[in-house]
Amino acid sequence: MLDIAHTPPAPKVIAGAKQDWELVIGLEVHAQVSSNAKLFSGASTTFGAEPNSNVAFVDAAMPGMLPVINEFCVAQAVRTGLGLKAGINLTSAFDRKNYFYPDLPQGYQISQLYHPIVGEGEVIVEMGEGIARRVRIERIHLEQDAGKSIHDMDPHMSFVDLNRTGVALMEIVSRPDIRGPEEAAAYVVKLRQIMRYLGTCDGNMQNGNLRADVNVSVCRPGDYERYQESQDFSHLGTRCEIKNMNSMRFIQAAIEYEARRQIGILEDGGTIVQETRLYDPDKGETRSMRSKEEAHDYRYFPCPDLLPLEIEQAWVDDIAAALPELPDAKKARFMSEFGLTDYDASVLTADVDNAAYFEAVVGGGSDGRDGKLAANWVINELFGRLKKEDHTITETPVSADQLGGIVDLITKGDISGKIAKELFEIVFTEGGDPAEIVEARGMRQVTDTGAIEAAVDKVIADNPAQVEKAKQNPKLAGWFVGQVMKATGGKANPKAVNQIVAAKLGL
Ligand code: ADP
Ligand code: MG
């Protein structure tokens, strides 16, 4: 499979005024755990609820309230770890990260600094057929999200909405293995894809359910290889961290800008100051937010309200046994089982909902439909049409059953490809059972050779001059085929028409 066959893409090289530079990028992705309740309270996590309506006493930091760990959120983190082929730590622990957060009234965030629940894993990021980067995952820890401060509702006051306060987040920390802006975006896309398959994060970036802190440094060609061999960070440049990116486009633009900024400083003989920066999408620039804090700035200490988290190997094994088929495996299976191209299999597995739809159309076992034909209809007709309407697959007016019905009619030879497109449009706009529509509207393909012969005879009888020309120039037979198709409303079987026309014209 993929893991063995791929070669790594070349790193992005940026030519400075004096020399070439390479990019080194590591991401800290904050993924909101899909769960009905928060990490340490029973309050709902529903997005878009009335402000401050999903707040338990402990979320509001009422005195004496104690956090109680949500087992489901723990299972989601374990599931995510397993999906990233990571080690699961049977003992992990929570720490307090002390900080003034206006939207987290405790005055600290409960996180996992010293003993995270998930250890080292990997993500394979495909950058083209057979080209992929293996990005190592350093750790995943569970932590609480903060609420939201709202500054644009009143000219004099700020408001706070605590609905998101205490919602479970997974912080997924990569090693600095990403070597270009496109790779960084592709890495986030791949993580999101895997988590959506796992059902552990819905990955909705607009709602802020997936955000990335992007660490960028530059180094000279050869330095990264020296780092790889020794794992000694001193071979790498000093990094800056760009906080809270929630768009693939901005991630790329910010990296591009940041790399050039750093190169400019270095080539002028300056040094990079490690700091936290913000990206301004309007100006297309990053700017300094604060100097980088170290762990000791947060006065981390073990959270006295929570016991170390101990889970059992058998419980982890149960979760592992119930993992769904993941994107890489599904893509490989679509290629081998249905003979799909790399491209088609990628498109169909890009999102878990797309893949489920295709699988429902193609069906299973011996009575399954032709995979290539089904893929063609799902990708070219359905996806194309949905895109036109700006709909996602979950909003499709054509169910997998209905599209399967259309594919069946083509396979049986009841309708031609051309008529199938008309039928698809009817089902898309009006709904209905494809087979019934074909009967009711007389769309069935004419395969009855008697009827086709009669139509051919008529065209020949009506056009003696054309017949003479066609006998000189056999290419003109196509004109007769066209006339017959027209006369039969496109329903004649094109293959039969071609044969009969050729025979009758004596070609
Ligand atoms: P901190 O805890 O100070 O944020 P970490 O060691 O956890 O530092 O690293 C945070 C992120 O920065 C990780 O994703 C890591 O891969 C990335 N990173 C570390 N060094 C570099 C570097 N020189 N260039 C780019 N990214 C880096
Ligand atoms: Mg960090």
Side-chain angles (χ1 to χ4, degrees):
M1 257 180 32
L2 191 69
D3 315 38
I4 309 158
H6 72 257
T7 46
K12 165 120 184 173
V13 176
I14 297 182
K18 298 184 179 156
Q19 60 168 95
D20 283 351
W21 297 87
E22 287 180 10
L23 276 141
V24 177
I25 302 158
L27 262 62
E28 296 160 279
V29 170
H30 298 263
Q32 185 178 315
V33 173
S34 295
S35 156
N36 293 331
K38 296 184 180 181
L39 183 55
F40 298 118
S41 84
S44 164
T45 59
T46 313
F47 182 82
E50 180 75 10
N52 296 308
S53 58
N54 295 338
V55 187
F57 287 132
V58 69
D59 304 324
M62 289 294 159
M65 294 297 121
L66 290 173
V68 177
I69 187 98
N70 178 341
E71 180 178 333
F72 183 73
C73 292
V74 177
Q76 291 288 62
V78 169
R79 204 169 277 124
T80 304
L82 293 169
L84 303 183
K85 303 195 182 91
I88 305 299
N89 296 321
L90 298 182
T91 302
S92 62
F94 290 97
D95 303 296
R96 284 188 182 178
K97 182 181 186 182
N98 296 286
Y99 192 78
F100 175 74
Y101 299 92
D103 36 26
L104 186 62
Q106 290 163 172
Y108 54 83
Q109 179 191 32
I110 303 179
S111 182
Q112 297 189 307
L113 177 68
Y114 301 107
H115 304 287
I117 183 155
V118 177
E120 295 183 351
E122 67 172 36
V123 174
I124 305 294
V125 183
E126 255 191 289
M127 299 304 297
E129 232 178 291
I131 299 174
R133 173 88 61 203
R134 176 172 169 265
V135 177
R136 294 168 299 160
I137 300 295
E138 182 184 319
R139 56 191 271 152
I140 303 177
H141 58 260
L142 267 172
E143 63 185 24
Q144 305 172 291
D145 205 349
K148 267 187 196 145
S149 298
I150 300 157
H151 304 296
D152 57 1
M153 272 178 68
D154 187 283
H156 307 294
M157 279 189 286
S158 284
F159 297 94
V160 68
D161 176 5
L162 299 182
N163 281 349
R164 209 177 62 186
T165 304
V167 167
L169 291 181
M170 296 177 280
E171 180 169 335
I172 305 165
V173 183
S174 87
R175 300 266 182 206
D177 289 349
I178 299 162
R179 307 301 314 281
E182 296 80 17
E183 262 177 56
Y187 166 79
V188 177
V189 168
K190 187 63 181 280
L191 259 188
R192 179 178 184 272
Q193 180 193 28
I194 293 172
M195 291 191 287
R196 282 180 50 79
Y197 270 67
L198 292 165
T200 56
C201 170
D202 72 17
N204 188 329
M205 293 186 93
Q206 267 132 29
N207 294 356
N209 292 357
L210 195 69
R211 328 189 279 272
D213 299 342
V214 182
N215 297 272
V216 181
S217 67
V218 295
C219 64
R220 272 158 284 218
D223 281 347
Y224 187 80
E225 286 68 26
R226 284 186 266 281
Y227 154 72
Q228 277 279 319
E229 277 161 28
S230 61
Q231 292 301 306
D232 177 351
F233 279 85
S234 69
H235 292 295
L236 299 181
T238 302
R239 72 183 189 271
C240 288
E241 177 181 16
I242 312 160
K243 273 273 178 217
N244 249 327
M245 307 289 299
N246 66 349
S247 130
M248 307 295 178
R249 199 157 57 82
F250 294 162
I251 286 176
Q252 297 185 56
I255 292 172
E256 197 83 45
Y257 175 87
E258 180 58 21
R260 287 180 196 281
R261 185 188 73 86
Q262 292 181 12
I263 291 169
I265 292 173
L266 292 169
E267 293 202 339
D268 282 348
T271 48
I272 305 300
V273 182
Q274 190 177 336
E275 62 182 357
T276 303
R277 299 178 69 85
L278 277 184
Y279 178 67
D280 179 342
D282 295 328
K283 295 209 177 99
E285 311 174 341
T286 63
R287 61 165 179 269
S288 183
M289 180 184 169
R290 55 176 189 241
S291 64
K292 169 79 186 163
E293 324 65 18
E294 301 295 337
H296 62 252
D297 293 326
Y298 291 110
R299 305 291 191 273
Y300 273 100
F301 64 87
C303 183
D305 290 341
L306 289 156
L307 289 168
L309 179 60
E310 303 212 348
I311 56 179
E312 281 169 15
Q313 186 60 48
W315 187 67
V316 175
D317 293 343
D318 285 348
I319 294 174
L323 282 192
E325 184 180 35
L326 291 174
D328 290 347
K330 201 181 278 292
K331 180 182 160 188
R333 183 170 61 80
F334 280 7
M335 290 172 70
S336 64
E337 192 173 329
F338 305 120
L340 302 189
T341 60
D342 189 283
Y343 177 80
D344 284 357
S346 293
V347 172
L348 291 171
T349 54
D351 186 77
V352 65
D353 293 329
N354 289 355
Y357 185 94
F358 170 72
E359 290 194 90
V361 173
V362 83
S366 53
D367 50 26
R369 300 188 172 105
D370 179 71
K372 275 188 177 166
L373 186 59
N376 187 23
W377 275 82
V378 171
I379 295 171
N380 298 323
E381 301 304 321
L382 182 67
F383 289 175
R385 193 68 177 79
L386 288 173
K387 200 166 174 195
K388 237 182 178 170
E389 302 290 324
D390 208 13
H391 282 338
T392 66
I393 190 74
T394 51
E395 299 161 330
T396 176
V398 181
S399 71
D401 256 6
Q402 286 170 311
L403 193 65
I406 295 174
V407 170
D408 286 344
L409 291 163
I410 302 167
T411 309
K412 279 189 285 179
D414 285 358
I415 53 174
S416 63
K418 185 166 168 285
I419 293 288
K421 289 188 185 187
E422 286 170 31
L423 175 62
F424 174 80
E425 190 55 31
I426 295 169
V427 177
F428 194 96
T429 49
E430 302 169 29
D433 176 65
E436 280 170 18
I437 295 169
V438 165
E439 289 315 318
R441 306 198 187 184
M443 296 166 83
R444 186 181 274 279
Q445 172 162 268
V446 179
T447 39
D448 166 12
T449 45
I452 296 173
E453 273 183 44
V456 175
D457 285 342
K458 183 160 188 320
V459 175
I460 287 177
D462 290 351
N463 300 282
Q466 282 292 102
V467 173
E468 284 316 307
K469 281 192 209 159
K471 285 186 174 158
Q472 311 301 318
N473 180 5
K475 276 191 196 148
L476 291 177
W479 182 85
F480 287 87
V481 173
Q483 293 300 306
V484 173
M485 294 307 285
K486 216 177 195 175
T488 55
K491 285 178 291 184
N493 180 324
K495 207 169 143 202
V497 176
N498 268 300
Q499 282 166 353
I500 294 167
V501 164
K504 299 245 172 197
L505 290 174
L507 301 174

